Amino acid sequence: ATLLPMVLFRHRNINRTDIALFAITSTVLSFADKMRRETKYFFKRAKGIRDGLIKHAPPQLNPSKFLFQNDNAADRVTLVGVVVNLLLSVGKGFIGLTCNSSALVADAG
């Protein structure tokens, strides 16, 4: 006890200024902690979204290489089906317009 300065043992009255400073300090610290937690949560969500986009994005290759070197046959079949359906729709629309057939135009659209 002889190593500690006597200032630590002096009795001090707590006044309104001390209470106000304590309230302001604790409010600022709790607000800063809440902001830190919100920022951490935001960055965690942003990283999750980014990882999901990267996981499900097609590789950055030449499209012709991707279409013909892809090991997933379901993707290739789906893409071929979409292209064929688009071509058939455009063809129906063109023939419907040239032949004045509202049924073909309606079916194409």
Side-chain angles (χ1 to χ4, degrees):
T2 58
L3 297 177
L4 294 175
M6 291 307 291
V7 175
L8 295 177
F9 293 114
R10 136 182 113 168
H11 294 285
R12 184 170 178 223
N13 294 333
I14 298 175
N15 57 19
R16 289 184 181 189
T17 306
D18 293 333
I19 294 172
L21 285 175
F22 174 76
I24 290 171
T25 304
S26 63
T27 303
V28 168
L29 288 176
S30 66
F31 179 73
D33 187 51
K34 180 174 176 140
M35 291 304 296
R36 183 193 59 83
R37 280 185 275 132
E38 290 291 327
T39 304
K40 186 177 179 181
Y41 175 74
F42 172 75
F43 280 115
K44 183 179 176 183
R45 289 278 305 202
K47 184 181 182 303
I49 291 170
R50 180 183 167 270
D51 290 344
L53 288 173
I54 289 173
K55 180 180 177 183
H56 297 292
Q60 299 296 325
L61 300 172
N62 185 355
S64 63
K65 287 183 181 179
F66 175 71
L67 292 177
F68 298 111
Q69 292 181 355
N70 190 5
D71 292 336
N72 193 353
D75 290 342
R76 198 170 37 241
V77 167
T78 303
L79 184 63
V80 169
V82 166
V83 170
V84 168
N85 282 335
L86 283 173
L87 289 174
L88 286 173
S89 254
V90 169
K92 278 184 187 182
F94 179 74
I95 297 297
L97 287 174
T98 57
C99 296
N100 295 324
S101 173
S102 60
L104 277 176
V105 172
D107 191 34

